[in-house]
Amino acid sequence: MADTNATPATVFGGIKVLITNALGDHESAATKARIHAATSALSAVGGILEPLLAEHLDAQGLISGLSQVEQGARQIERGIEDVQAAVKEKKAVPNAAQVSSAA
């Protein structure tokens, strides 16, 4: 998502990526199409208003912030997957005390 020439249009593109990734595979194609349409419209408006927004909007700061949010979300997802895998592995392998008491 990082862009050294960030504009309001790229900010809206970053918002679209963030929302789409948050939805993952859990939303219908129709919902994803609606999000795409909405962010495309916002991007077009942002492009038209860019000269006015440039004075009031730190596009690069917004892109950087969105990128950090996305990276943090991916890190949380990986952490959750690691925790789930560790619990499953622990359940699947009985410890030595359980094995000796069963014998």
Side-chain angles (χ1 to χ4, degrees):
M1 225 184 296
D3 183 349
T4 56
N5 297 314
T7 64
T10 58
V11 169
F12 292 124
I15 292 170
K16 176 187 170 192
V17 169
L18 188 67
I19 293 170
T20 303
N21 288 346
L23 292 173
D25 296 330
H26 304 292
E27 294 300 324
S28 69
T31 298
K32 289 181 181 181
R34 287 182 183 116
I35 291 168
H36 177 72
T39 55
S40 294
L42 287 172
S43 182
V45 170
I48 293 167
L49 297 176
E50 188 171 346
L52 298 172
L53 292 173
E55 295 178 20
H56 305 286
L57 178 72
D58 177 4
Q60 186 58 51
L62 283 172
I63 287 291
S64 295
L66 290 170
S67 180
Q68 289 175 11
V69 168
E70 184 61 26
Q71 289 170 7
R74 272 191 247 124
Q75 187 174 4
I76 289 169
E77 288 172 352
R78 285 192 302 268
I80 290 169
E81 289 168 0
D82 289 348
V83 168
Q84 290 173 335
V87 170
K88 286 179 184 177
E89 287 176 20
K90 190 67 173 175
K91 285 181 180 177
V93 180
N95 66 32
Q98 290 173 330
V99 172
S100 62
S101 66

